[in-house]
Amino acid sequence: MKITFLRYSIRQAMANIFNNRLVHLIGVGTMAIAFLIFDAFILIFVNLSYWTEERGRLLSMSVYFKEEPDRIVLEDVQRELLGFPGVTIKRFISKDDAMEDLRRQLGDEAGLLDGLKENPLPASLEITFSRDKGGDSIPHQLKRRLERINIVDEVQYSQEWIERFQAIMEALKIVGIVVGGLLFLAALFIITNTIKLTIYSRKDEIEILKLVGATNRFVKIPFLIEGSIQGFLGGSLALILLFVAYMIVVARVDLRIGFASLDFVFLPPECIVLLLVMSSIAGLIGSTISLGRFFRI
Amino acid sequence: MIQLFHVYKTFGSKNSALIDVSLRVRKGEFVFITGPSGAGKTTLLKIVFCAEKATSGQALVDGRNLNRVSERELALLRRRIGVVFQDFKLLPRRTVFENVALALEIAGLPLSVIRKKVHQTLRYLGLANKEGYYPPQLSGGEQQRVALGRAIINNPLILLADEPTGNLDPDLTMEIMALLREIHVKGTTVVVATHSQELLRDTRRRIVSLSKGRIV
Ligand SMILES: Nc1ncnc2c1ncn2[C@@H]1O[C@H](COP(=O)(O)OP(=O)(O)OP(=O)(O)O)[C@@H](O)[C@H]1O
Ligand SMILES: [Mg+2]
């Protein structure tokens, strides 16, 4: 492609946007809404995957003692635990601590506990287990080894938890691809129709260009550039709107799922770049499709 | 240069704009096509630059059969045919400069050459001071001259002019006719469609008369 032609095309695209700024503004707004739905879905999807992965990776285990262990026993158990790769000891919870925790959780209803003659809660050791460093069988092995120690009553972790998270992760991926794909197609459909309006409004211009000897390429390329710019602007606007909405949600809502509070993060930079590229490409595809229909007539 | 063989053009089922028209225009000729309104003059020109396809019959321009040209060949052919449309067909959102530059832009000439040629042409047509205007801001006669500028700027092989003096006063008419003669002298084949008897009164040029779609 010649430089002169490229310069002409860009100049025409800019001039067209400027001359039809109202139509373009409406077009960009429409596209922004279409992209916003898509981007919002991506944002939720990114966070869901992030949370799921986080939960799935760090496994909590509780080692319950038959009775309050003394320091020597406790150190023995801890040494045993640290022999396993990926194990971190979070804290030791004595019987008193456990009671304290329970009272705090009950809040106003803590009075219920006053009737108890003795503390029924067991002492325990909370550990986390990073699954990065070991296979699936390791939590299982660890549980068996620890339960052989005399003073240890029971080791609890949820195998189901792991399996469920893995299943959720898989399902999430499929749902993500399907729903994301559908939303993108919907956005593309809206964009194509928006661009078609701007092209139809310049039908005469296209006809004249062709009558004075312009090739299809000469006529089309400024429109393609225009469509890409429009897509890019619509995509940018959508991201700005999404960010504003995100800030509002983060400021107002305390996200708690179960007992763990989760970080709600915004899209990472590479994701933003990717979405902008996708918006521009959607604009390009949209104008290609609408031009295709037009040139066949 | 232009050859029509038994060309028919029918719009819809019974609106015959051209009936059995055969015509041969040689390279370097200057031909008037005349006839009353609705005789088919514009339709005939449209067939020649392929804005309309003949319903039947053959049309050859510069040796090319218009029934069998590709999109690209047609574009290249049209660049060598300058057309002054009866309704001008200027781009309303582009300036006079840009409208006239269009043909050169399509041909892919460098910007410096385009500027020089456009200025030259606009001066030649007495439009030098209108270069930044948009067509709707011009009078009919001025628009007509812009259309002529766009048609001749690329030194076309053939110039088709549909009522090129339709909106002009007698003085400007004489000027435009002088201009067409000049272009003709430089080697362009010129076809002018007009219903103005005045224009034809004392010309020694070839006149093709159309009536109700037939050559008479
Ligand atoms: N696009 C079209 N659709 C239907 N009928 C058409 C079309 N173009 C031309 N015609 C018909 O063809 C006939 C010839 O029209 P044309 O424009 O060639 O006449 P003309 O000789 O140029 O007339 P004028 O001097 O008024 O410009 C007319 O009867 C017109 O109604
Ligand atoms: Mg006519």
Side-chain angles (χ1 to χ4, degrees), chain A residues 56-87:
Chain A
R57 202 171 37 122
L58 268 189
L59 183 66
S60 306
M61 264 189 184
S62 296
V63 181
Y64 292 102
F65 296 100
K66 287 178 183 147
E67 56 202 68
E68 190 90 11
D70 58 30
R71 251 190 49 213
I72 299 165
V73 174
L74 190 59
E75 274 168 14
D76 274 351
V77 175
Q78 288 183 342
R79 210 171 305 116
E80 177 95 16
L81 281 168
L82 291 174
F84 274 85
V87 168

Side-chain angles (χ1 to χ4, degrees), chain B residues 11 15 17 35-44 46 52 86 162-163 195:
Chain B
F11 293 104
N15 187 357
S37 183
K41 305 179 292 293
T42 298
T43 307
L44 191 143
K46 278 185 177 166
E52 297 284 358
Q86 192 167 9
D162 201 351
E163 302 289 357
H195 57 243

Side-chain angles (χ1 to χ4, degrees), chain A residues 2 4-5 7-8 11-12 15-16 18-20 23 201-202 204-218 222 295, chain B residues 49-51 71-72 74-76 78-79 81 83 85 89-94 98 102-103 105-111 114 134 150:
Chain A
K2 274 195 192 167
T4 348
F5 176 49
R7 199 171 46 203
Y8 164 86
R11 191 154 33 87
Q12 282 309 319
N16 283 338
F18 183 74
N19 288 332
N20 303 302
V23 177
S201 72
R202 298 218 299 279
D204 294 345
E205 186 179 328
I206 293 175
E207 191 199 297
I208 293 170
L209 286 170
K210 297 219 65 178
L211 286 178
V212 295
T215 49
N216 282 347
R217 201 183 65 142
F218 186 91
F295 274 82
Chain B
F49 64 91
C50 214
E71 187 267 322
R72 187 163 177 80
L74 179 60
L76 290 174
R78 278 175 174 165
R79 290 180 203 177
I81 307 176
V83 185
F85 299 90
K89 293 201 190 299
L90 298 174
L91 296 170
R93 291 178 184 284
R94 299 200 198 179
E98 289 171 320
L102 194 60
E105 218 120 37
I106 287 170
L109 296 185
L111 205 60
I114 294 179
Y134 289 89
R150 183 179 67 189

